[in-house]
Amino acid sequence: KEDVILMTERDYLRIKHILSFQNSTEFENLEIELDRAKIVEECEIPTGLVKMNTKFKFEVINDKKEMVITIVYPEEANFAEGKVSVLAPLGSALIGLQLNQEINWKFPDGKIKRLKILEVY
């Protein structure tokens, strides 16, 4: 189902913990994603799941632009190295998706773009 996202309990709990220290509505989209996530055991993780510290390629379909990134915790973020914080709009948009899954995501500039997971390494 298109709107289902999966997350390990460890990732879910750590991201919830990080969000508990944020005093902003800026992360509402990530909180919504966490609330609708299906928690899976480590042994149940399907091949091709975008989880924390997993390198993957995705496409911004509207722009016909492909990128390879790794979603990381905020202290490890370094966009020049392709490491995007889970708190960043892009990170929170893609965490929990699976290979070939597509979503519409509203970015901070107000534009809605279609994203698709192409490869998970």
Side-chain angles (χ1 to χ4, degrees), residues 20-121:
S20 72
F21 292 99
Q22 307 303 315
N23 294 325
S24 171
T25 58
E26 182 181 347
F27 305 108
E28 275 182 32
N29 285 337
L30 180 55
E31 290 174 354
I32 290 167
E33 292 298 289
L34 290 175
D35 289 344
R36 71 185 188 92
K38 178 182 177 191
I39 307 303
V40 295
E41 299 290 328
E42 294 283 338
C43 62
E44 298 174 330
I45 296 170
T47 304
L49 178 66
V50 174
K51 58 189 191 305
M52 295 302 299
N53 298 306
T54 300
K55 188 175 183 178
F56 63 97
K57 183 194 290 186
F58 73 98
E59 178 182 14
V60 180
I61 295 172
N62 313 60
D63 302 338
K64 296 184 182 358
K65 181 178 176 184
E66 294 181 2
M67 290 180 66
V68 175
I69 65 168
T70 303
I71 298 175
V72 297
Y73 294 104
E75 65 274 9
E76 301 163 34
N78 182 330
F79 197 75
E81 294 179 4
K83 296 178 180 179
V84 175
S85 170
V86 69
L87 297 184
L90 187 58
S92 59
L94 297 171
I95 189 78
L97 296 182
Q98 297 180 64
L99 184 64
N100 296 318
Q101 192 170 9
E102 296 181 18
I103 59 160
N104 289 321
W105 191 259
K106 185 176 182 178
F107 282 82
D109 64 4
K111 292 181 181 174
I112 296 177
K113 297 189 178 189
R114 187 105 181 131
L115 308 175
K116 180 178 182 177
I117 305 299
L118 300 176
E119 291 182 58
V120 180
Y121 305 105

